[in-house]
Amino acid sequence: MSGSNSEFSTAMEVVRAAERGILSREQLVRILGSWDYEPQHRSIGLADDWELRDNSFDAVVHAFTSSLIDGGDYECIVGRLDGAELGAQSLNGRGASSASSD
């Protein structure tokens, strides 16, 4: 399971639960902000804009374009993900502390 909540198997399931009123906006933002997303896949071709991966960040974009979350919520989710990525990089020795010093 890729998500942080065992009730859902994909990020899009989380968004669909919010669409049905099962999750509040706050729950949606919290779960999406801690989700372990798969990479977004884009092929080369005319169908690129129509491809959707249920367990990618596409689910967050769908939540935003469906007005389930607002711009502030979107930025909060992105910020949490950026923070987690920065934390992982620093654990791998690639964080800001490993930058060359003057």
Side-chain angles (χ1 to χ4, degrees):
M1 186 155 319
S2 296
S4 59
N5 189 320
S6 61
E7 186 176 344
F8 305 102
S9 60
T10 67
M12 190 57 79
E13 283 185 16
V14 175
V15 173
R16 289 183 180 128
E19 286 176 326
R20 291 189 305 269
I22 296 170
L23 295 175
S24 69
R25 191 180 102 229
E26 292 78 19
Q27 291 171 310
L28 176 63
V29 171
R30 181 178 43 78
I31 294 170
L32 292 179
S34 62
W35 200 264
D36 183 22
Y37 296 98
E38 294 173 2
Q40 290 172 300
H41 173 74
R42 296 287 184 244
S43 64
I44 300 173
L46 296 175
D48 288 352
D49 291 339
W50 298 103
E51 293 181 27
L52 178 71
R53 301 226 9 176
D54 283 348
N55 208 31
S56 73
F57 197 77
D58 290 341
V60 177
V61 173
H62 178 75
F64 177 71
T65 58
S66 299
S67 300
L68 293 172
I69 60 173
D70 61 20
D73 296 330
Y74 183 91
E75 292 299 324
C76 179
I77 293 167
V78 169
R80 288 181 186 173
L81 297 175
D82 286 346
E85 184 176 304
L86 289 174
Q89 287 178 356
S90 66
L91 288 174
N92 292 327
R94 295 181 302 191
S97 62
S98 65
S100 61
S101 57
D102 295 276

